[in-house]
Amino acid sequence: MPRFIDLSATIANSPEGTPEFFKTEIAYADHEAGARQIQALFGVPPELLREGEGWAVETITRLGTHDTTHVDAPYHYNRRIGGEPAATVDQLPLEWFFADGVVLDMTGRERGQVVEVADLEAELGRIGYTLKPLDIVLVRTGMDAYYAHPDYFLMGPGVSPEATRWLFDRGVRVMGIDAWSWDAPLDLQAEAALREKRPGVFWAAHQADLPYAQIERLVGLDRLPPFGFKVAAFPLKIEGASAGPARVVAILD
């Protein structure tokens, strides 16, 4: 039987101190509330329900498409990619999201110490793997340990645009990371962009003009071997969206 390893964060109410721009809020209605609703809608009293209980219902009152484990579509990066209209998440080919997975260990790096082409080559050499088209490459940084931290969004090394292009040139169309962003922390990129006063510094890997997808905010990559498994990472089909929350799962024989 195959073994399934969940690489997705649990969607839950955000902890205290989470910045407003990526808070998640869920309203829970229990079975007693469901019973009251059934009586109000259909006149059926609780004594006619099993154990006096109605349905339990949850309403996600606040959840951005990027506010949990999710897949970024090219439209997230720019309106046009390679001179063509960028694909939204509902337009991405499904075959991208069920493929062989590869984990590249980039733990122990300093904040903002981006992963470069040489790092990818060295790690692939160490694990003895050659990339092939449509492999799903997962970069392990260890930042998932801080997922519930209020400053989680400022953590991680990031991946350079050159390394992103190197993966793309080898046929990789889905790249993932266990940090808040595929790019280096945005505060560091902002400092560099203001200092250098040119485009291509802030949000550099996202805006590399490549029609690829990113999986961000993964968890549990430490539970996987370097290769020899499948990844299923289908995003929610949200019309015209820049991203979709995804239940990302590794499947091992």
Side-chain angles (χ1 to χ4, degrees), residues 131-135 137 167-168 170-175 212:
L131 292 173
K132 63 184 184 301
L134 295 188
D135 278 348
V137 174
L167 291 171
F168 185 87
R170 278 146 187 80
V172 177
R173 293 297 178 267
V174 178
M175 312 168 195
Y212 75 107

Side-chain angles (χ1 to χ4, degrees), residues 10-15 24-28 61:
T10 300
I11 299 174
N13 281 304
S14 297
T24 296
E25 295 174 346
I26 307 169
Y28 291 84
T61 58

Side-chain angles (χ1 to χ4, degrees), residues 103-171:
V103 176
L104 302 182
D105 189 348
M106 297 294 162
T107 55
R109 303 177 77 82
E110 298 293 326
R111 186 174 93 95
Q113 182 188 357
V114 296
V115 175
E116 300 286 3
V117 172
D119 300 314
L120 300 178
E121 292 177 323
E123 179 63 3
L124 286 164
R126 185 187 73 82
I127 66 175
Y129 189 83
T130 300
L131 292 173
K132 63 184 184 301
L134 295 188
D135 278 348
I136 296 177
V137 174
L138 308 176
V139 175
R140 180 186 165 212
T141 68
M143 292 301 104
D144 57 330
Y146 305 96
Y147 188 91
H149 243 251
D151 57 351
Y152 166 69
F153 73 106
L154 297 176
M155 297 179 178
V159 181
S160 75
E162 294 80 13
T164 304
R165 184 171 294 279
W166 188 88
L167 291 171
F168 185 87
D169 288 345
R170 278 146 187 80

Side-chain angles (χ1 to χ4, degrees), residues 81-102:
I81 301 287
E84 300 293 329
T88 54
V89 75
D90 52 320
Q91 296 171 332
L92 297 177
L94 291 178
E95 56 266 27
W96 282 14
F97 300 101
F98 184 69
D100 291 335
V102 186

Side-chain angles (χ1 to χ4, degrees), residues 162-223:
E162 294 80 13
T164 304
R165 184 171 294 279
W166 188 88
L167 291 171
F168 185 87
D169 288 345
R170 278 146 187 80
V172 177
R173 293 297 178 267
V174 178
M175 312 168 195
I177 195 165
D178 60 353
W180 189 79
S181 177
W182 181 256
D183 261 294
L186 296 183
D187 61 328
L188 299 180
Q189 289 197 327
E191 291 173 10
L194 292 169
R195 183 173 60 250
E196 298 185 30
K197 299 189 187 310
R198 62 179 179 86
V201 177
F202 185 83
W203 222 33
H206 280 75
Q207 293 193 328
D209 199 29
L210 297 172
Y212 75 107
Q214 298 174 9
I215 313 171
E216 294 176 324
R217 302 178 69 165
L218 289 163
V219 299
L221 296 184
D222 59 317
R223 300 169 63 197

Side-chain angles (χ1 to χ4, degrees), residues 18-23 62 67 153 180:
T18 301
E20 282 293 319
F21 75 95
F22 64 89
K23 269 189 175 180
R62 182 172 182 172
D67 291 347
F153 73 106
W180 189 79

